[in-house]
Amino acid sequence: MNDPLSLADFQLPGPMSARKIVVAMSGGVDSSVVAALAARTGAEVIGVTLQLYDHGAAVGRTGSCCAGQDIRDARAVADRIGIAHYVFDYESRFRESVIEDFAAEYMAGRTPIPCVKCNMGVKFTDLFTLARDLGADCLATGHYVRRVVGADGRAQLHRAADPARDQSYFLFATTQDQLDYLRFPLGGLPKGQVREIAAELGLAVAMKPDSQDICFVPDGDYAKVVRKLHPDADADGEIVHLDGRVLGRHKGLIHYTVGQRKGLEIGGQPEPLYVVKIDAPRRCVIVGPREALAVDAARLTDINWLGGDFSGPEPISVQAKVRSLAKPVPARLDGDRLLFDRPEYGVAPGQAAVLYDGDRVLGGGWLAETTSVADIAHACSSL
């Protein structure tokens, strides 16, 4: 393997011995390697971990980030590589800006993305401020994206070199000022090589499993989180076919999302049925065949552009990614309307549409509503 130091590019001018780098350390292998590589540059490095849960609840939790064991792992790595490490209590801020928003979105019949809200808030806004207050020249993270400096000297956000690890979808709401200050040293590396670096540097987290769950829902039971904040979350209602037939009753809107097929409990139908729309005011789950999931347009809100406003009087051609695991598809943006070149399936309000030009992230916005190829507007009119 190459010298690990040669793989780290923190894009800072002048001698590194005169620089200070703050690294966001979650306790996982990625941010641990970033911290170790930063330390090897000769810069002053400070590791920062945000505690997002109270200590008692966090101890022993696995499959998440910023939990009790993760904080201990981050501290152990900092001790191993000889850098300062600080833990900041952001439990209240995280609960208000991420968990409460997550629950409210489900109650409104939308499908939230808490990781984006976390990046928009505690990770890239509050942590950005902390890094500035500590006098750092940059804030480095273990995200798999690439930061490319354009001809104008401003930073651009690009997809990671390893498509399987790319996290650009979750960073579309990053502001230009944040991007100018952020660094993503792992964006050009495959995950396997990052683990090799961790092992070569003697980091105990080298083979630590990746987090697979929403950090505050490590057991996968997100309904329990919503129910805790909204005791009426299990209020039932009708499951209605597109043709108006009432097929049964659901057990609470929080258990359903657009595109869902399993768990509908409406057997005996001649064809597979999917959730195609959730009408929260009427507590109605609308189902139909797969073709009813086809969407030809969507309206976006809170559009964020990186590197200038790319919108104009004429529609612009983009590649749009409307789910974290989906591939970008050809589309046009006309104002706040995203028009797909071909029908897209399973587009859920509450998710994001991230817009690309090749590997470059132009920006993105939140999916407020969709226009279905099928007419589902009046499916609940009889309720």
Side-chain angles (χ1 to χ4, degrees), residues 47 141 267:
T141 81

Side-chain angles (χ1 to χ4, degrees), residues 16-298:
M16 291 300 291
S17 59
R19 299 300 172 193
K20 180 185 291 186
I21 301 172
V22 165
V23 179
M25 298 183 69
S26 67
V29 62
D30 299 321
S31 60
S32 296
V33 166
V34 170
L37 294 180
R40 288 169 67 97
T41 67
E44 179 185 354
V45 179
I46 300 173
V48 171
T49 301
L50 302 181
Q51 180 175 310
L52 304 181
Y53 312 93
D54 69 83
H55 181 72
V59 171
R61 292 180 65 173
T62 58
S64 60
C65 68
C66 304
Q69 183 59 50
D70 297 304
I71 292 173
R72 291 193 292 273
D73 288 342
R75 181 173 289 119
V77 168
D79 289 343
R80 166 77 181 180
I81 62 180
I83 66 170
H85 178 251
Y86 301 107
V87 179
F88 292 90
D89 182 359
Y90 271 71
E91 179 193 357
S92 295
R93 177 85 166 93
F94 183 76
R95 182 178 62 249
E96 293 169 2
S97 64
V98 179
I99 298 179
E100 291 180 5
D101 176 83
F102 174 85
E105 285 288 278
Y106 264 113
M107 290 298 292
R110 294 187 287 268
T111 305
I113 319 176
C115 294
V116 175
K117 293 296 179 72
C118 185
N119 287 331
M120 291 172 63
V122 292
K123 286 189 177 175
F124 281 179
T125 299
D126 299 328
L127 194 51
F128 181 98
T129 302
L130 281 172
R132 286 285 197 194
D133 289 344
L134 290 169
D137 294 287
C138 69
L139 170 63
T141 81
H143 288 97
Y144 284 86
V145 291
R146 290 181 296 132
R147 179 185 182 274
V148 177
V149 179
D152 60 356
R154 303 303 300 270
Q156 300 173 2
L157 186 64
H158 288 237
R159 287 193 284 185
D162 182 353
R165 304 300 306 181
D166 176 56
Q167 294 175 298
S168 60
Y169 180 84
F170 299 103
L171 300 182
F172 83 90
T174 304
T175 68
Q176 185 64 55
D177 285 343
Q178 290 169 349
L179 187 57
D180 286 339
Y181 189 62
L182 287 162
R183 299 294 188 274
F184 309 107
L186 305 186
L189 303 178
K191 181 60 175 260
Q193 191 167 8
V194 172
R195 291 197 182 279
E196 290 177 8
I197 295 172
E200 183 166 302
L201 296 177
L203 304 184
V205 295
M207 298 311 296
K208 183 176 179 178
D210 294 333
S211 174
Q212 298 296 324
D213 300 299
I214 296 172
C215 65
F216 56 91
V217 195
D219 59 359
D221 187 3
Y222 63 85
K224 180 171 63 178
V225 175
V226 179
R227 195 180 297 115
K228 184 176 181 180
L229 293 171
H230 298 272
D232 60 339
D234 287 320
D236 65 356
E238 291 184 331
I239 299 178
V240 181
H241 193 279
L242 283 174
D243 61 16
R245 288 179 293 132
V246 177
L247 302 181
R249 297 194 69 81
H250 63 74
K251 53 187 178 183
L253 296 180
I254 60 172
H255 301 287
Y256 304 88
T257 187
V258 171
Q260 179 177 334
R261 176 183 173 187
K262 296 181 178 179
L264 301 183
E265 298 180 358
I266 48 174
Q269 303 302 314
E271 61 182 346
L273 295 177
Y274 300 78
V275 176
V276 297
K277 183 180 176 69
I278 296 176
D279 188 333
R282 300 186 184 189
R283 299 203 308 274
C284 174
V285 174
I286 306 170
V287 299
R290 184 179 182 277
E291 54 265 28
L293 289 171
V295 165
D296 54 16

